[in-house]
Amino acid sequence: MKTIVIKIKMAKKPQQEKVSASTLKEIVAQLFKVLDVNSDGKLDRDEMKTFFKNMSATHNESFNESDFEKNWDAMDCDKNNDVDQDELYNYMYLKAKADGQLAEDES
């Protein structure tokens, strides 16, 4: 009697590259310019909601108003109903750190 061994190779999840804080700051600055449609130096709720809706559509996900509100509240640190570039950076930095996507800056 022969024994047959079948090996199944599982596909590994692609690893996302980590980003340094300085690179993240550059990315946020570029993103901010794109999102700030009216160029007033701050992002209002409608500008951010449009971005979140577009990102949801890009990833074939449905837009979730509750998730948006949670994220908006986390971004709008001073609760003045807009998000400046520093607030957006801080939000993105904390998200990247929590998700393990933040790399150490090179000295």
Side-chain angles (χ1 to χ4, degrees):
M1 177 183 284
K2 287 187 172 180
T3 303
I4 299 172
V5 177
I6 300 173
K7 292 184 180 179
I8 299 174
K9 192 172 188 177
M10 300 297 287
K12 290 184 178 178
K13 260 184 149 176
Q15 296 231 347
Q16 293 183 345
E17 284 189 40
K18 292 186 176 192
V19 63
S20 69
S22 58
T23 300
L24 181 62
K25 195 167 211 91
E26 292 171 17
I27 292 168
V28 168
Q30 292 172 8
L31 176 63
F32 193 87
K33 286 179 187 176
V34 172
L35 296 179
D36 187 14
V37 177
N38 61 5
S39 300
D40 65 354
K42 55 190 174 188
L43 304 177
D44 62 35
R45 188 179 295 271
D46 290 336
E47 289 169 323
M48 286 305 298
K49 190 177 283 191
T50 298
F51 172 68
F52 273 75
K53 284 181 177 178
N54 289 339
M55 289 302 295
S56 295
T58 299
H59 295 285
N60 295 321
E61 297 173 357
S62 60
F63 174 75
N64 184 307
E65 186 76 34
S66 176
D67 286 346
F68 170 75
E69 290 300 327
K70 288 176 190 171
N71 284 289
W72 176 259
D73 287 342
M75 282 184 268
D76 185 17
C77 297
D78 59 11
K79 306 303 178 207
N80 65 350
N81 289 318
D82 60 46
V83 172
D84 63 27
Q85 189 169 327
D86 288 336
E87 286 175 308
L88 183 60
Y89 170 75
N90 290 335
Y91 170 79
M92 298 293 284
Y93 178 90
L94 292 173
K95 290 284 283 178
K97 189 172 184 177
D99 293 344
Q101 295 176 326
L102 197 61
E104 296 293 324
D105 273 324
E106 295 177 11
S107 302

